[in-house]
Amino acid sequence: MRYDVAIVGAGPAGAVLAYLLAKAGAEVLLLEKKVFPRYKACGGGLTQRALDSLPFEVDEVIEERVYTVKAFIHTECAFELRVQQPVISMVMRDRFDHFLVKKALEAGVHFQEGNSFKRLSGRVEALMVETSCGPVETRFVVGADGVNSRVARALDLPRSDNVMNAAEAEVYLGDPERLAEFKHCAQFYFGLVPQGYVWVFPKRDHLSIGVLSRSMTLKNLKSNLLSYLEAGGLGSSMEVKALRFHLVPYGPGKRRPLACEKGLIVGDATGYVDPITGEGISYAIRGAVVASRILQEAIKDGHRKLEDYTRVLGEEILKDLACAKTFAGILYGFSNLSSRIIKAHGSRLARWHMEVVCGRMSYRDLYRKMLHLKTVLPLVHALSK
């Protein structure tokens, strides 16, 4: 069978893109090297802008909804913010990603799991995707295969050089009353690791706890996470499972092409990830929506339509990520100053940032609001030059 589009990688970007294309009538093959459901190291926090971007409801896989955010400088609480509407909806990525794939299958997508991408050959609009299970013919190929995308390499598309280190574990407390203390609350600790933070996210029967750092000289992030767990007072019956290390991209770089005449890349492969939080699912879904539109035009009118993808995605997201990168430079590059800013304006900034993650405000809007804060103005102005 010859497909219109072969998508490599069945994470949120790949699965949602496959769903949208199949709904539009395209013949789509979704390839995944793992067998689903599979564990995925991730905090599993879905922002409201991610939920709003999805073409269907995902309530059945949401484990917990967060209404309270606490931020700490070292172990001292800088502020606590409570809201009426959920800030983040928590999922386990094995169940969430599997749910998205099932939605794609319902839309008519052909799914091959346990099948790895090997190489790409052929000519424009007559491609041969070599896989561990044999060759696949397709008009276009999409790389949704993560930060170290092999498809990007096969398409001669440069990968993002900007990455953050992350380590994450599933922590079972063994005490229902102790777990209940974390219910509906996300906690963030700054100052415990260089150029990053520790997060504590509640799930249905445990906590997802992780460390994110922009420092590439930090040798052992897992030991930092274990040190936090040992000193965090989580109880003697605590059990740590699935402690994994992974890379998180942040920022695709200016003028970096995300498509060529043979195909394009989506999700973490693009580098479109929030440089402050490391959250990438909302950008992955928004990118999938744009890619679907562009690929539908290419299927109809030819490969030259793919040239629009980098430009359109850049116009919709890149300028906003540039503002976020400035904020991240302040937060993680000037830790003493950022600590003072959080203590002085943390609650107000958190409310504004909540508007961003809910999709009601952009980072550019937040930038303009921050210019009115006298404590922040000089540094923001200097870093924006």
Side-chain angles (χ1 to χ4, degrees):
M1 183 174 179
R2 184 170 183 262
Y3 298 94
D4 293 310
V5 182
I7 301 171
V8 180
V16 171
L17 175 57
Y19 171 90
L20 293 171
L21 288 172
K23 277 289 189 178
E27 290 291 347
V28 183
L29 174 64
L30 182 61
L31 297 167
E32 170 57 48
K33 65 181 180 180
K34 301 288 186 180
V35 176
F36 274 43
R38 53 88 177 97
Y39 178 77
K40 176 74 173 179
C42 177
L46 296 183
T47 63
Q48 189 60 46
R49 64 183 175 185
L51 293 172
D52 290 342
S53 298
L54 282 166
F56 41 73
E57 299 291 330
V58 296
D59 289 356
E60 67 182 77
V61 292
I62 291 176
E63 301 219 340
E64 180 75 276
R65 299 185 193 272
V66 167
Y67 295 87
T68 302
V69 173
K70 292 182 180 180
F72 296 80
I73 305 298
H74 297 286
T75 57
E76 179 186 352
C77 185
F79 66 85
E80 177 177 336
L81 187 62
R82 298 173 186 247
V83 294
Q84 296 298 315
Q85 300 298 320
V87 183
I88 312 171
S89 296
M90 297 295 176
V91 298
M92 290 299 295
R93 284 289 303 276
D94 54 352
R95 295 182 62 227
F96 176 66
D97 290 10
H98 196 202
F99 177 84
L100 298 182
V101 168
K102 287 190 285 187
K103 283 292 186 181
L105 289 172
E106 291 171 6
V109 171
H110 303 266
F111 181 48
Q112 293 182 12
E113 55 188 335
N115 193 4
S116 301
F117 172 85
K118 296 296 185 182
R119 64 189 65 86
L120 184 67
S121 60
R123 64 183 188 278
V124 175
E125 296 197 52
L127 301 174
M128 188 69 70
V129 177
E130 301 289 343
T131 78
S132 57
C133 296
V136 172
E137 294 183 52
T138 184
R139 288 184 65 187
F140 304 106
V141 66
V142 173
D145 49 343
V147 62
N148 292 315
S149 173
R150 297 184 67 183
V151 175
R153 191 183 308 133
L155 293 173
D156 291 324
L157 298 174
R159 292 180 293 175
S160 176
D161 293 327
N162 301 320
V163 292
M164 297 182 277
N165 291 306
E168 192 258 355
E170 312 303 336
V171 180
Y172 293 79
L173 302 184
D175 181 353
E177 292 185 4
R178 187 76 176 93
L179 180 64
E181 296 175 15
F182 295 87
K183 193 172 181 63
H184 302 311
C185 178
Q187 299 183 12
F188 300 90
Y189 292 80
F190 299 95
L192 297 180
V193 294
Q195 300 184 48
Y197 69 93
V198 174
W199 77 81
V200 181
F201 286 172
K203 299 298 173 65
R204 181 175 298 148
D205 59 356
H206 70 285
L207 302 174
S208 290
I209 302 179
V211 179
L212 183 77
S213 175
R214 291 191 0 166
S215 173
M216 298 310 293
T217 60
L218 194 60
K219 297 300 182 182
N220 196 340
L221 207 60
K222 287 185 179 180
S223 64
N224 286 80
L225 178 55
L226 288 171
S227 296
Y228 167 79
L229 294 175
E230 291 171 0
L234 296 176
S236 58
S237 58
M238 173 185 68
E239 183 179 4
V240 179
K241 295 183 179 181
L243 176 54
R244 305 284 176 84
F245 170 82
H246 60 286
L247 295 175
V248 179
Y250 69 97
K254 294 180 179 179
R255 302 185 184 87
R256 179 183 168 222
L258 305 176
C260 66
E261 56 190 5
K262 294 181 180 180
L264 52 81
I265 52 179
V266 293
D268 279 3
T270 66
Y272 279 56
V273 171
D274 191 315
I276 298 173
T277 64
E279 188 274 321
I281 295 177
S282 64
Y283 295 103
I285 297 168
R286 290 168 66 188
V289 172
V290 174
S292 172
R293 188 167 70 242
I294 297 296
L295 282 163
Q296 287 176 49
E297 294 173 357
I299 291 168
K300 180 181 178 181
D301 297 326
H303 66 270
R304 287 181 176 80
K305 292 293 183 178
L306 294 181
E307 297 173 358
D308 293 336
Y309 177 64
T310 303
R311 176 185 57 79
V312 173
L313 202 62
E315 290 174 353
E316 294 196 9
I317 300 177
L318 190 56
K319 291 179 180 178
D320 215 43
L321 284 179
C323 281
K325 199 169 183 179
T326 297
F327 295 143
I330 297 171
L331 182 61
Y332 301 124
F334 301 86
S335 57
N336 291 333
L337 180 59
S338 63
S339 295
R340 295 202 301 271
I341 292 172
I342 290 172
K343 289 179 180 179
H345 303 288
S347 182
R348 186 188 310 181
L349 292 174
R351 286 192 180 277
W352 291 345
H353 191 251
M354 212 169 285
E355 294 293 300
V356 174
V357 299
C358 289
R360 295 188 292 265
M361 183 189 296
S362 69
Y363 273 116
R364 283 174 286 178
D365 296 330
L366 179 56
Y367 182 88
R368 286 188 285 268
K369 282 183 173 291
M370 284 185 68
L371 290 177
H372 296 290
L373 298 179
K374 294 180 180 179
T375 310
V376 183
L377 176 59
L379 186 56
V380 172
H381 182 68
L383 289 176
S384 65
K385 289 183 177 180

